[in-house]
């Protein structure tokens, strides 16, 4: 119940379950106490209805309070960086190295990615490849980033600005920052 109030995507499930439970409760009560008067049953229905109306009221307040919030968070997804890529780069032909967490957002915007949340698709067994993209994405470090970028012919790198690789790329003369905001850095690799 608490999670359905906190997570907006779960509220619809709460409604479905609530209706079933409410109906079942009334039916069980009528079956169990069929010798009671209609007045007692009506009082019970009234009590449950008040309870459920209170719950619906709380959900409605929560929905109206959060209704103006943006669907996508700029903290989780590189929204502005993606707009920059689509407006300023030939995004159909670049090869971008990206963070695992926002690969799905880039794919949603028709930008080819290095990796996304469907990690199993990037394993060597699935791709019949000599290398595992998942392993390369997770094991990238200051010694092997150039080798990984060269192997996959990476032209651009989009990372959280807190990623430790950014420190090395900033110092490397083969990489240039072409976009920067409060959370993300986009580098261009000189090929």
């Amino acid at each position: 119940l608490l999670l359905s109030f906190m997570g907006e995507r779960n509220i619809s499930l709460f409604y479905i379950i609530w209706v079933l439970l409410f109906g079942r409760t009334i039916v069980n009560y009528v079956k169990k106490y069929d010798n009671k008067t209609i007045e007692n049953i009506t009082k019970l229905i009234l009590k449950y209805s008040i309870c459920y109306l209170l719950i619906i009221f709380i959900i409605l307040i929560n929905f109206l309070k959060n209704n103006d919030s943006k669907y996508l968070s700029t903290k989780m997804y590189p929204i502005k960086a993606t707009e920059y890529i689509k407006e300023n780069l030939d995004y159909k032909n670049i090869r971008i190295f990206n963070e695992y967490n926002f690969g799905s957002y880039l794919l949603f915007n028709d930008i080819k990615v290095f990796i996304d949340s469907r990690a199993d698709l990037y394993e060597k067994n699935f791709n019949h490849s000599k290398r595992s993209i998942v392993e390369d994405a997770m094991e990238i470090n200051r010694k092997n980033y150039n080798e990984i970028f060269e192997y996959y012919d990476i032209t651009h790198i989009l990372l959280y600005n807190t990623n430790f690789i950014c420190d090395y790329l900033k110092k490397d003369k083969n990489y240039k920052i072409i976009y920067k905001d409060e959370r993300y850095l986009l580098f261009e690799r000189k090929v």
Side-chain angles (χ1 to χ4, degrees):
L1 178 66
L2 178 63
L3 290 176
S4 66
F5 288 137
M6 294 175 67
E8 292 176 22
R9 67 182 182 181
N10 300 325
I11 289 178
S12 59
L13 290 174
F14 175 75
Y15 291 144
I16 293 168
I17 293 170
W18 168 76
V19 169
L20 294 173
L21 290 176
F22 182 68
R24 180 178 274 178
T25 302
I26 299 301
V27 168
N28 285 340
Y29 185 79
V30 170
K31 282 182 181 177
K32 187 174 182 180
Y33 300 104
D34 58 358
N35 58 349
K36 297 284 185 183
T37 63
I38 297 293
E39 185 179 311
N40 288 338
I41 293 173
T42 307
K43 285 179 184 178
L44 180 70
I45 290 173
L46 185 62
K47 287 178 188 177
Y48 275 108
S49 297
I50 290 172
C51 226
Y52 287 126
L53 286 174
L54 182 63
I55 291 171
I56 290 172
F57 181 72
I58 291 169
I59 291 171
L60 186 61
I61 288 173
N62 187 30
F63 176 74
L64 293 174
K65 182 178 77 173
N66 294 325
N67 196 23
D68 63 345
S69 63
K70 292 183 179 179
Y71 183 68
L72 294 174
S73 166
T74 55
K75 292 181 180 178
M76 295 198 54
Y77 300 104
I79 296 170
K80 293 176 186 172
T82 302
E83 290 171 2
Y84 175 87
I85 291 170
K86 290 187 87 167
E87 291 171 4
N88 299 294
L89 300 175
D90 182 13
Y91 68 95
K92 296 280 187 186
N93 295 313
I94 64 173
R95 296 185 58 92
I96 194 164
F97 180 89
N98 60 282
E99 299 269 1
Y100 174 85
N101 294 340
F102 53 73
S104 56
Y105 179 75
L106 294 172
L107 277 175
F108 176 72
N109 281 280
D110 205 25
I111 298 173
K112 295 177 190 171
V113 298
F114 182 73
I115 192 167
D116 65 65
S117 57
R118 304 167 300 164
D120 55 335
L121 297 177
Y122 299 95
E123 284 294 333
K124 57 185 164 190
N125 326 5
F126 194 80
N127 284 317
H128 306 291
S129 174
K130 296 176 187 174
R131 296 180 73 145
S132 167
I133 294 173
V134 174
E135 289 175 15
D136 285 341
M138 299 302 159
E139 295 175 2
I140 194 165
N141 60 48
R142 67 181 177 91
K143 294 180 181 175
N144 71 355
Y145 71 88
N146 271 318
E147 184 258 322
I148 289 173
F149 294 161
E150 191 171 314
Y151 180 82
Y152 293 105
D153 195 26
I154 298 297
T155 59
H156 293 80
I157 300 97
L158 178 61
L159 302 168
Y160 292 113
N161 59 12
T162 55
N163 189 315
F164 72 97
I165 294 295
C166 289
D167 294 334
Y168 300 108
L169 296 177
K170 287 176 189 176
K171 295 174 186 173
D172 192 324
K173 63 181 175 12
N174 294 316
Y175 298 90
K176 176 175 85 170
I177 297 174
I178 59 172
Y179 174 83
K180 179 180 182 178
D181 65 25
E182 62 276 356
R183 295 195 55 89
Y184 305 98
L185 287 173
L186 176 64
F187 293 88
E188 185 172 58
R189 181 172 169 249
K190 298 174 185 173
V191 189

